[in-house]
């Protein structure tokens, strides 16, 4: 597996509380992504980053924000968690299509919002 | 935006038989098509990929074909084994505004019956 870790791996929280998920890479890849995975929907892009401090929205970005202050770290924040944000969250890294195109995924974070 | 449809959603085969999973995409700008395998509770991992300038690619028991005109691509697994049981995702990828945009299919759950 590529050098990608996610923390925490599991989290239970209550509606209305803020939650931050961390993705850490040791591969020095330029691109980092946050996806959520739900039954019947596959993997849907929340936000992505194309460099330090450079981020943009994906298809399901409402209720989420991100930050990337260092190449190796990409944080996903749920400002005020809702039950609809219960999901498995995967971080991914890539060198982009110019670098081959393969995305490498982290181990995932299971989030339950009560 | 890009839309990727994947069929079937579930597939059961006898050990030793072949399995075929099909995907269609909508945007002719997509030029990279990876396939990921996800075992239960694990992260998605790349098993094979194909680029738009190639019609077919094979790696041992796994092959992928691409028909750019029809905008569809397929995964073929021959001589299936119980360890092939997993969820398989197709994806279509393109350059979009300077980053690698990836759209995933909704997944196929493959069960190989011993």
């Amino acid at each position: 597996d590529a050098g990608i870790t996610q923390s925490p791996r599991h989290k239970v929280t209550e509606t209305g509380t803020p939650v931050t998920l961390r993705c850490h890479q040791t591969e020095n890849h330029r691109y980092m992504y946050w996806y959520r995975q739900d039954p019947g929907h596959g993997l849907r892009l929340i936000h992505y980053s194309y460099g330090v401090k450079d981020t943009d929205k994906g298809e399901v970005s409402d209720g989420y924000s991100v930050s990337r202050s260092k190449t190796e770290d990409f944080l996903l924040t749920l400002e005020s968690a809702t039950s609809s944000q219960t999901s498995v969250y995967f971080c991914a890294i890539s060198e982009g299509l110019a670098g081959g195109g393969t995305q490498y995924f982290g181990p995932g974070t299971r989030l339950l919002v009560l | 935006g890009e839309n990727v449809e994947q069929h079937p959603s579930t597939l059961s085969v006898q050990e030793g038989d072949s399995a075929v999973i099909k995907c269609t995409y909508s945007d002719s700008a997509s030029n990279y098509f990876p396939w990921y395998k996800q075992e239960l509770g694990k992260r998605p991992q790349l098993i094979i990929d194909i680029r738009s300038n190639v019609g077919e690619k094979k790696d041992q028991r796994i092959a992928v074909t691409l028909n750019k005109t029809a905008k569809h691509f397929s995964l073929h697994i021959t001589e299936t084994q119980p360890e092939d049981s997993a969820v398989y995702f197709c994806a279509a990828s393109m350059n979009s505004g300077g980053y690698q945009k990836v759209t995933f299919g909704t997944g196929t759950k493959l069960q190989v019956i011993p």
Side-chain angles (χ1 to χ4, degrees), chain A residues 31-112:
Chain A
Y31 299 95
M32 298 185 76
Y33 307 79
W34 276 108
Y35 291 92
R36 60 177 290 174
Q37 185 174 40
D38 305 288
H41 290 278
L43 290 150
R44 292 182 293 173
L45 181 65
I46 305 171
H47 281 280
Y48 65 95
S49 170
Y50 47 97
V52 174
K53 293 184 170 38
D54 293 323
T55 66
D56 208 343
K57 297 178 180 180
E59 62 180 299
V60 291
S61 60
D62 287 349
Y64 302 94
S65 62
V66 291
S67 66
R68 191 173 179 193
S69 59
K70 297 185 289 185
T71 299
E72 57 266 36
D73 290 326
F74 193 31
L75 303 181
L76 176 70
T77 297
L78 290 65
E79 302 291 348
S80 177
T82 68
S83 58
S84 64
Q85 293 176 312
T86 291
S87 187
V88 180
Y89 291 85
F90 285 99
C91 172
I93 64 174
S94 166
E95 291 185 298
L97 284 170
T102 302
Q103 286 190 317
Y104 300 94
F105 287 85
T109 295
R110 290 188 174 271
L111 176 66
L112 174 61

Side-chain angles (χ1 to χ4, degrees), chain B:
Chain B
E2 175 67 283
N3 181 48
V4 176
E5 295 190 355
Q6 183 172 348
H7 300 281
S9 56
T10 60
L11 179 60
S12 291
V13 299
Q14 291 292 135
E15 182 177 358
D17 287 350
S18 296
V20 180
I21 302 170
K22 298 182 179 182
C23 290
T24 61
Y25 62 100
S26 60
D27 196 328
S28 57
S30 289
N31 56 8
Y32 172 65
F33 306 91
W35 286 88
Y36 289 85
K37 176 184 180 181
Q38 186 178 27
E39 297 176 348
L40 188 63
K42 300 290 184 63
R43 71 188 80 189
Q45 293 197 302
L46 181 77
I47 55 171
I48 196 167
D49 56 12
I50 192 167
R51 301 183 191 281
S52 59
N53 59 348
V54 175
E56 184 174 359
K57 183 176 179 181
K58 189 174 182 180
D59 183 4
Q60 299 182 346
R61 296 186 297 110
I62 295 172
V64 57
T65 59
L66 171 65
N67 183 327
K68 286 194 300 180
T69 302
K71 294 193 184 71
H72 66 70
F73 56 114
S74 300
L75 177 72
H76 304 254
I77 306 174
T78 58
E79 301 172 18
T80 54
Q81 301 168 3
E83 52 264 39
D84 294 329
S85 296
V87 178
Y88 292 81
F89 292 96
C90 64
S93 183
M94 68 176 83
N95 279 319
S96 177
Y99 92 104
Q100 178 192 1
K101 180 180 178 181
V102 184
T103 304
F104 287 87
T106 51
T108 296
K109 184 175 182 180
L110 173 64
Q111 181 184 19
V112 179
I113 303 167

